Amino acid sequence: MNEPIKKIAVLTSGGDAPGMNAAIRAVVRACSYYSIECVGVYRGYQGLIEGDFEIISSRNVSNIINKGGTILKSARSLEFKTKEGRAKAYKNLKEHGVGGLILIGGDGTFTGGLKFMQEFNFPLVGIPGTIDNDIYGTDNTIGYDTALNTVVEVIDKIRDTASSHNRLFFIEVMGRDAGFIALNAGIGAGAEEILIPEKNIGLEKFVESLNKGKDSGKTSSIVVVSEGDKIGKNVFELADHITESFPEYDIRVSVLGHMQRGGSPSCFDRVLASRLGVAAVEALLDKSTGVMIGITENKISKVELEKAIKMNNDINKELLKVAEITSV
């Protein structure tokens, strides 16, 4: 662990997020800048176990900064959850002369990486790549800004038809455990109501809010629902409940699904990914390990992987107030 690192491996794991390619590009070119070889690991931890490695040069990552998804692919690996699987991964890394590992992903990725580091004392650094923005230790995760812009653009289009037909639209966005996408996109798109798991308002208060809107003259409404909201079992059950209370509305449900993961990354995500990729390489060269590279108040920051996994980002209470005030 004290030997100079001559080769760094990088992988992407978990759900893809716009900007992952920009991060890969930054890692590869930072390695080239510091005269270190870079190894791309395909299909995440499964590729680590199977030795699916390839040397990547600066020219290999030309013209990918604008592309969504991940050129290194991503895959689930049940085998990596076993000690035998992790031992295979370690053996492959050592055989290829890799001295440090960079992980681009979210909670699941970091959990596996932390276990691997603890067992084999192998230097690794994490980069937060997830559209949910639910990783502790960073103000923004790679892909979050792009996902917000995608959701707002879709809601803007839906609002056109909602207002034309006296419709109430329930729009479900990703966020099983966190409502960051729903809250921010809901405010940005001017939603009449935002339902998130962190603030379970209940069916009665929700109906009361819709009644107030109707009494004030609203003839259509947009309700943004985080998939983890707890009012109903799912957004369709919630829509059925509301249909009974508001027969005058033509109620529709739109589940945005995986379109939120795709698309060309925003400028913000490209710059963020580039900064985090370079900082991750520099962290390994400075002998930092078991940390996640984040961004705090627009400055590069480091947080222990264990903290990033175990602690949660809190919903901004000011934004909750803004959402309440601007939806009247």
Side-chain angles (χ1 to χ4, degrees):
M1 195 164 162
N2 291 322
E3 295 177 6
I5 292 178
K6 298 178 181 178
K7 190 181 289 188
I8 289 175
V10 58
L11 63 80
T12 53
S13 178
D16 61 291
M20 280 185 165
N21 281 328
I24 294 167
R25 174 181 178 271
V27 168
V28 172
R29 293 195 167 175
C31 284
S32 178
Y33 181 84
Y34 288 110
S35 301
I36 297 166
E37 213 167 21
C38 186
V39 175
V41 180
Y42 289 93
R43 296 176 296 115
Y45 288 132
Q46 194 59 36
L48 207 60
I49 290 171
E50 295 175 7
D52 195 357
F53 297 0
E54 183 180 343
I55 299 294
I56 306 180
S57 70
S58 290
R59 299 289 70 82
N60 295 140
V61 292
S62 297
N63 303 319
I64 69 168
I65 194 170
N66 60 315
K67 297 183 184 300
T70 162
I71 63 166
L72 292 178
K73 310 295 184 184
S74 185
R76 297 188 184 279
S77 177
L78 293 177
E79 191 176 358
F80 194 77
K81 293 182 178 181
T82 68
K83 191 166 185 178
E84 293 76 16
R86 293 189 293 272
K88 288 180 186 177
Y90 177 72
K91 182 172 179 286
N92 286 329
L93 287 169
K94 297 304 288 183
E95 286 181 351
H96 283 79
V98 175
L101 179 62
I102 293 176
L103 314 171
I104 306 172
D107 272 341
T109 302
F110 296 158
T111 299
L114 181 63
K115 186 75 173 175
F116 181 76
M117 184 193 73
Q118 291 170 341
E119 286 178 347
F120 300 102
N121 197 31
F122 195 86
L124 57 82
V125 169
I127 295 176
T130 168
I131 66 169
D132 292 330
N133 203 46
D134 59 348
I135 303 293
Y136 177 83
T138 185
D139 292 340
N140 289 88
T141 58
I142 295 170
Y144 174 59
D145 183 71
T146 306
L148 285 182
N149 289 325
T150 299
V151 172
V152 168
E153 182 180 356
V154 172
I155 294 175
D156 286 347
K157 296 178 188 298
I158 289 174
R159 184 177 291 282
D160 291 342
T161 189
S163 58
S164 298
H165 294 277
N166 197 35
R167 283 176 175 162
L168 188 156
F169 266 92
F170 287 92
I171 302 173
E172 184 187 86
V173 300
M174 285 185 168
R176 187 173 58 249
D177 302 309
F180 296 101
I181 292 177
L183 180 58
N184 285 269
I187 292 174
E192 279 69 32
E193 193 66 64
I194 302 168
L195 305 179
I196 59 176
E198 293 91 341
K199 186 185 178 185
N200 185 16
I201 67 172
L203 182 61
E204 188 176 325
K205 285 188 177 180
F206 178 49
V207 170
E208 183 183 327
S209 175
L210 290 178
N211 271 317
K212 284 182 180 178
K214 185 179 69 171
D215 293 342
S216 70
K218 289 183 180 179
T219 58
S220 65
S221 288
I222 297 290
V223 179
V224 179
V225 185
S226 178
E227 63 181 321
D229 178 68
K230 301 176 177 64
I231 290 184
K233 290 181 181 177
N234 54 55
V235 68
F236 295 99
E237 182 181 89
L238 174 59
D240 288 341
H241 282 311
I242 300 305
T243 299
E244 297 174 7
S245 302
F246 296 89
E248 69 276 17
Y249 277 133
D250 185 8
I251 295 178
R252 293 287 189 272
V253 175
S254 288
V255 178
L256 302 192
H258 285 79
M259 73 167 66
Q260 296 161 85
R261 289 196 186 281
S264 181
S266 65
C267 179
F268 181 90
D269 274 329
R270 297 182 198 191
V271 173
L272 174 65
S274 298
R275 293 178 70 183
L276 299 186
V278 169
V281 171
E282 291 178 341
L284 282 174
L285 295 181
D286 289 339
K287 306 300 182 185
S288 289
T289 183
V291 297
M292 182 195 78
I293 306 299
I295 193 92
T296 305
E297 296 181 351
N298 203 30
K299 293 181 180 179
I300 293 294
S301 58
K302 295 178 186 176
V303 62
E304 292 177 7
L305 274 180
E306 195 164 5
K307 279 189 177 180
I309 295 164
K310 291 184 177 180
M311 299 183 73
N312 297 313
N313 269 349
D314 293 327
I315 280 288
N316 188 318
K317 292 182 180 178
E318 181 203 348
L319 284 181
L320 289 173
K321 183 180 179 182
V322 168
E324 182 180 353
I325 290 172
T326 57
S327 66
V328 297

